[in-house]
Amino acid sequence: MRVLIRNTALDGRPLEGDGEVFTGETVTEMVQAMKGATLFSDQRDIEDYIDMVLRNAKMLSGVELAVRGDTAEEKAASFLDALIKHGLAEVQDDKPARIPIPAIVWQGIDAVRLSGQTNMLDRPVVARLAGELGWSDAARWIAEHPKEYAEGVFRGFVVDPQGGKS
């Protein structure tokens, strides 16, 4: 996957066509690459880096980005999603690789999405709601595959005709 992280004007406006392209197989690798490009960074891990970017965006440009998640993978996915929603990043891939999942899992995820009861990046709540809505296979898959779920929310899911990972 390739993502253009846009440079910004002093007021926080993204500059069209100006920025740096980062690549990675996963959202975590993508944010790790962004972290690695930061000069004079004393951020120890991805979560410290994300927190630093959030503070700087608010303090220097008045841009407030909301990031959620319990794991580094979930936070990385939420972080990239927030950057994209604010026009600060753009996915460069024509067709990002979607995450293959069994049909029963997709039906449960889609049921939660259609219910509108939570942000789909809030994986623990999505898993709980899937179970409450009667999709126990989906709830179990979401709980057992946090990395694949986070990547699927960001890149998309595709129903695997062979059943996917269960």
Side-chain angles (χ1 to χ4, degrees):
M1 128 180 22
R2 293 169 28 100
V3 174
L4 169 69
I5 303 297
R6 291 194 175 104
N7 290 328
T8 60
L10 293 176
D11 65 359
R13 279 181 303 108
L15 300 173
E16 283 298 317
D18 187 25
E20 188 171 349
V21 175
F22 295 93
T23 61
E25 292 293 317
T26 66
V27 292
T28 305
E29 287 179 14
M30 184 75 58
V31 175
Q32 188 69 38
M34 293 165 58
K35 178 184 171 299
T38 303
L39 294 176
F40 311 112
S41 174
D42 63 352
Q43 310 311 314
R44 292 177 301 279
D45 60 28
I46 288 176
E47 293 170 293
D48 285 343
Y49 169 75
I50 291 171
D51 288 342
M52 183 264 307
V53 171
L54 297 178
R55 281 191 313 275
N56 287 347
K58 183 176 181 181
M59 180 177 62
L60 300 173
S61 302
V63 176
E64 290 197 51
L65 303 171
V67 173
R68 300 182 67 180
D70 294 324
T71 66
E73 291 84 14
E74 291 171 350
K75 289 177 182 174
S78 178
F79 176 62
L80 286 174
D81 187 55
L83 291 174
I84 290 167
K85 285 181 181 173
H86 280 82
L88 299 170
E90 175 185 318
V91 176
Q92 298 283 297
D93 294 336
D94 291 333
K95 295 183 181 178
R98 293 181 176 200
I99 302 301
I101 58 174
I104 194 78
V105 172
W106 167 247
Q107 291 167 346
I109 291 171
D110 199 39
V112 173
R113 182 185 65 80
L114 291 172
S115 78
Q117 295 181 47
T118 190
N119 179 328
M120 296 305 288
L121 292 170
D122 194 345
R123 184 192 50 80
V125 174
V126 172
R128 179 180 54 80
L129 289 171
E132 290 174 5
L133 293 171
W135 298 96
S136 59
D137 289 336
R140 186 178 69 254
W141 186 92
I142 294 165
E144 292 174 358
H145 298 89
K147 181 178 181 241
E148 292 89 347
Y149 177 78
E151 290 176 11
V153 168
F154 185 68
R155 298 183 348 211
F157 294 103
V158 64
V159 173
D160 185 339
Q162 260 101 53
K165 295 179 190 176
S166 55

